[in-house]
Amino acid sequence: MARAHWGCCPWLVFLYACAWSHPKPGELGREDVRDCSTNPPYLPVTVVNTTARLSAIRQQMEAWNLSAYIIPDTDAHQSEYIGKHDERRAWMTGFTGSAGTAVVTMGKAAVWTDSRYWTQAEREMDCNWDLKKEVGITVIVSWLLTEMSTGGRVGFDFLVSFDSWKSYDANLQGSNIQLVSITANLVDLVWGSERPPVPSEPIFALENAFTGSTWQEKVSNIRSQMQEHKKAPTAVLLTALDETAWLFNLRSSDIPYNPFFYSYTLLTNSSIRLFVNQSRFSPETLQYLNSGCTGPMCVQLEDYSRVRDSVQAYVSGDVRVWIGTQYTMYGLYEVIPQEKLVADSYSPVMITKAVKNSKEQDLLRASHVRDAVAVIRYLVWLEKNVPKGTVDEFSGAEFLDQLRGEEDFFTGPSFETISASGLNAALAHYSPTKELNRKLSSDEMYLVDSGGQYWDGTTDITRTVHWGTPSAFQKEAYTRVLMGNIDMSRLIFPAATSGRVVEAFARKALWDVGLNYGHGTGHGIGNFLCVHEWPVGFQYNNIGMAKGMFTSIEPGYYQDGEFGIRIEDVFLVVEAKTK
Ligand SMILES: *[C@@H]1O[C@H](CO)[C@@H](O)[C@H](O)[C@H]1NC(C)=O
Ligand SMILES: *[C@@H]1O[C@H](CO)[C@@H](O)[C@H](O)[C@H]1NC(C)=O
Ligand SMILES: *[C@@H]1O[C@H](CO)[C@@H](O)[C@H](O)[C@H]1NC(C)=O
Ligand SMILES: *[C@@H]1O[C@H](CO)[C@@H](O)[C@H](O)[C@H]1NC(C)=O
Ligand SMILES: [Mn+2]
């Protein structure tokens, strides 16, 4: 399925959630959980009563003649992090973990999530919901086949990407169950006044000093790729939020950790349509977009909600629309007739954005230099203060944010800091909270994985340290992780080699002594965009490595119940001189 049920990481599932996505505060360690086997059931105070919500959505299902309804944890743009306004699955189920899929039938309701979230789900969900301790479209579909043995219609909506839909559809082939795309979202229809509002902060243009090219240059570049394409697309449809943000050099703050704004773009050879809430533009930004423009270089603003109708109207002509299936929602894909579709895994914007020009390289490097100053100051401060016993995982992470805040152009963290001492560092997605954290000590290893958003670049770095005497095994494991980081970063390889082909170089030093790590080796990164910027990386569906791409390299080693090690840096692919 498209969204990584594993939330994260470059490892299990490639795309979405990426490298280290993190449970929210309070997700770990609280043991007061529900017990649905007693009569009446035992419910901790943390559960949400979902009875009224469920009966409201079932009424909607009846109105749409649906026997089942799928509620994924995405937004309409397949964003890695989603805004409060889009936390539909969390509101419906009570379960607020960041990865999970819910399905409602007339008689049952269930949530599928991975082991990171089982305890949290049992603390937050009432007994209306079954917890399924599995993930993946295949297991959801086999449940549907049992529950809907007499057939019926399964509804989904604009939250489902083309790739997820394809997977559901393939798994349902040969059954008497019909997948039905509906234009409304049933959760939205029943989520009342308590729903957080759509973010509508101003959308601003980046200053020239922080952009690699003007938006007009980027538009011309994409248009020439349309002309050169064998299938002669007449338009490119952009649905991921970083695609539109990159194309126009515009940013805002709709999504946590990501400086994006809700939008779509339909770019043709003669027009540019930007779907967005236009009240969010200041007169200056409108001028930035359209001052002195002529015909094909003028940006036409259309309301965000108009995108489906506009694409539908556009495809009535003699046109071909180029999309990236990984990010396009099925609800837009389905309005484009097959013969008018030019479908790649990634849009030309995703592919073009992956290669940074020399100015973008300088910008990204400059942001990393300033970021390193903050991290070094933090490490020095830890060295002084940890032996005094005055630092815990949470206060440490807060201080690191504060140090980053003292650097120029900082706007906020690029993901939730993983600040993990001792055995906590062996948990793949650990983040401390104010209430639940561990004191840092000279007797334990400490791992900190963090990053920042700056106007010139996005950063991501992991360091593992020990202020006392590590064991011989810890030293060996650390050394081998470091060897993997160095071996991979010094690798010389043929142009266009896929990351997956060379990924094992980061593991070899560990493999030599029978050790390994259970996550991916790295991911691309943006210029004030996503911290996990696909499709660059080392996974099976990442694109070939090219000069000008940046990738993290982050091997690790984790000893359950004891310690965790990861060393992560961001690297630039450059041309090598060989004999
Ligand atoms: C949950 O809410 C429903 C009404 O919405 C109510 O009838 C029911 O008693 C509540 N359940 C619990 C356990 O409080
Ligand atoms: C509802 O869907 C079923 C197929 O599952 C179909 O047989 C039935 O005619 C539909 N009813 C209405 C009112 O559309
Ligand atoms: C559009 O943005 C304006 C200005 O920020 C805001 O007041 C309004 O609520 C937004 N409209 C929608 C539909 O989000
Ligand atoms: C745009 O593409 C259409 C269809 O390929 C073509 O007929 C038209 O001349 C093109 N317009 C421009 C401005 O290139
Ligand atoms: Mn990373």
Side-chain angles (χ1 to χ4, degrees):
M1 143 173 210
R3 179 131 178 128
H5 319 286
W6 267 86
C8 91
C9 25
W11 61 104
L12 284 170
V13 185
F14 141 73
L15 201 74
Y16 305 78
C18 337
W20 293 84
S21 82
H22 321 293
K24 295 181 186 115
E27 285 185 0
L28 290 153
R30 305 290 187 75
E31 295 306 322
D32 186 20
V33 299
R34 67 179 187 176
D35 183 354
C36 298
S37 69
T38 61
N39 190 10
Y42 171 73
L43 298 173
V45 295
T46 42
V47 302
V48 176
N49 182 345
T50 60
T51 302
R53 298 170 192 186
L54 270 169
S55 73
I57 202 163
R58 284 182 175 130
Q59 272 175 21
Q60 290 295 335
M61 286 163 60
E62 259 171 31
W64 294 80
N65 192 21
L66 300 175
S67 314
Y69 185 63
I70 301 171
I71 309 170
D73 55 7
T74 59
D75 65 13
H77 307 274
Q78 309 300 315
S79 301
E80 176 179 359
Y81 305 105
I82 63 172
K84 290 267 168 241
H85 176 80
D86 282 319
E87 290 181 356
R88 297 175 177 88
R89 194 262 301 132
W91 178 76
M92 197 64 221
T93 62
F95 163 57
T96 61
S98 48
T101 302
V103 178
V104 180
T105 65
M106 283 304 167
K108 287 195 179 162
V111 168
W112 285 259
T113 189
D114 68 76
S115 60
R116 290 176 292 158
Y117 298 105
W118 294 343
T119 305
Q120 183 187 356
E122 302 268 23
R123 282 173 42 72
E124 295 181 335
M125 294 197 306
D126 64 7
C127 293
N128 288 318
W129 294 89
D130 287 343
L131 173 61
K132 303 288 182 188
K133 299 182 170 181
E134 286 173 305
V135 289
I137 285 175
T138 322
V139 293
I140 296 175
V141 168
S142 40
W143 185 83
L144 282 171
L145 290 171
T146 316
E147 293 300 319
M148 299 172 65
S149 51
T150 55
R153 294 162 26 111
V154 182
F156 68 91
D157 53 46
F158 54 80
L159 300 177
V160 171
S161 72
F162 169 73
D163 279 1
S164 303
W165 172 83
K166 206 169 55 175
S167 180
Y168 276 108
D169 191 52
N171 279 286
L172 282 168
Q173 282 304 315
S175 76
N176 55 355
I177 298 175
Q178 196 192 342
L179 261 187
V180 193
S181 153
I182 51 184
T183 48
N185 178 285
L186 303 193
V187 178
D188 293 1
L189 295 178
V190 301
W191 196 351
S193 55
E194 57 192 292
R195 183 176 186 187
V198 190
S200 53
E201 293 296 302
I203 299 167
F204 59 91
L206 285 173
E207 285 172 34
N208 282 339
F210 299 110
T211 63
S213 354
T214 64
W215 72 256
Q216 289 88 346
E217 288 164 340
K218 291 176 177 177
V219 162
S220 303
N221 174 342
I222 301 301
R223 280 182 175 150
S224 25
Q225 295 186 44
M226 285 160 60
Q227 251 167 13
E228 287 155 19
H229 196 290
K230 287 193 301 290
K231 296 186 181 154
T234 59
V236 171
L237 176 61
L238 303 175
T239 45
L241 298 182
D242 61 335
E243 295 176 309
T244 292
W246 175 86
L247 186 67
F248 296 103
N249 295 323
L250 293 173
R251 300 290 189 274
S252 190
S253 55
D254 296 2
I255 303 285
Y257 308 116
N258 288 148
F260 305 151
F261 53 96
Y262 292 107
S263 54
Y264 300 93
T265 301
L266 184 67
L267 174 66
T268 78
N269 61 0
S270 56
S271 68
I272 307 165
R273 291 199 238 175
L274 172 55
F275 298 87
V276 66
N277 175 357
Q278 10 182 331
S279 318
R280 301 176 61 183
F281 288 116
S282 66
E284 292 72 33
T285 313
L286 287 174
Q287 198 174 13
Y288 157 84
L289 284 175
N290 276 339
S291 141
C293 73
T294 54
M297 276 300 175
C298 295
V299 181
Q300 299 156 28
L301 299 175
E302 290 192 36
D303 196 66
Y304 177 75
S305 62
R306 290 263 316 141
V307 65
R308 189 178 146 109
D309 291 345
S310 279
V311 171
Q312 197 150 28
Y314 178 71
V315 297
S316 65
D318 175 22
V319 297
R320 279 161 309 280
V321 182
W322 193 0
I323 62 159
T325 57
Q326 297 263 9
Y327 288 94
T328 304
M329 57 157 121
Y330 186 80
L332 279 180
Y333 167 90
E334 70 177 349
V335 305
I336 308 170
Q338 283 301 311
E339 70 279 9
K340 297 184 178 179
L341 197 64
V342 179
D344 286 336
S345 289
Y346 302 99
S347 75
V349 163
M350 281 288 182
I351 302 289
T352 306
K353 174 162 63 63
V355 175
K356 273 68 174 169
N357 68 23
S358 62
K359 186 172 170 203
E360 288 161 336
Q361 292 172 22
D362 289 346
L363 289 167
L364 201 50
R365 209 183 272 110
S367 70
H368 276 80
V369 169
R370 291 194 314 281
D371 192 72
V373 171
V375 174
I376 291 165
R377 289 179 67 198
Y378 179 54
L379 292 173
V380 170
W381 178 82
L382 287 176
E383 206 166 305
K384 286 198 191 116
N385 290 285
V386 169
K388 297 183 204 156
T390 53
V391 187
D392 64 50
E393 295 166 333
F394 187 77
S395 65
E398 278 192 324
F399 187 58
L400 178 53
D401 274 350
Q402 185 187 321
L403 292 171
R404 281 201 166 93
E406 291 171 20
E407 295 301 323
D408 285 345
F409 317 136
F410 178 74
T411 66
S414 58
F415 59 95
E416 186 175 18
T417 299
I418 297 175
S419 168
S421 188
L423 76 175
N424 287 340
L427 301 172
H429 304 276
Y430 179 77
S431 291
T433 65
K434 201 170 164 54
E435 297 76 32
L436 235 59
N437 56 63
R438 192 174 177 87
K439 188 162 274 187
L440 270 52
S441 125
S442 302
D443 303 328
E444 291 190 329
M445 276 191 161
Y446 171 66
L447 182 156
V448 57
D449 182 353
S450 65
Q453 290 287 7
Y454 301 85
W455 291 346
D456 41 1
T458 306
T459 68
D460 185 6
I461 176 171
T462 310
R463 287 293 178 267
T464 307
V465 288
H466 197 307
W467 300 279
T469 311
S471 69
F473 179 52
Q474 287 173 333
K475 286 188 202 168
E476 166 149 22
Y478 183 93
T479 305
R480 290 180 181 279
V481 168
L482 179 60
M483 285 164 76
N485 178 299
I486 293 171
D487 287 348
M488 181 64 113
S489 59
R490 294 173 59 108
L491 195 71
I492 294 176
F493 52 87
T497 297
S498 289
R500 67 173 182 276
V501 174
V502 295
E503 203 252 2
F505 284 97
R507 300 179 187 267
K508 180 176 183 301
L510 288 160
W511 285 359
D512 281 345
V513 293
L515 306 180
N516 195 15
Y517 53 94
H519 57 74
T521 290
H523 52 83
I525 193 164
N527 284 89
F528 195 27
L529 292 166
C530 283
V531 69
H532 305 126
E533 189 179 85
W534 307 109
V536 173
F538 297 92
Q539 317 225 72
Y540 73 96
N541 49 359
N542 290 163
I543 56 177
M545 292 283 181
K547 190 172 81 167
M549 288 179 178
F550 284 81
T551 180
S552 76
I553 295 178
E554 46 186 300
Y557 177 73
Y558 309 90
Q559 184 73 27
D560 263 359
E562 295 183 30
F563 63 88
I565 298 166
R566 186 162 61 254
I567 304 174
E568 171 183 27
D569 297 292
V570 171
F571 294 88
L572 170 64
V573 179
V574 297
E575 211 154 35
K577 291 257 180 304
T578 57
K579 276 201 268 184

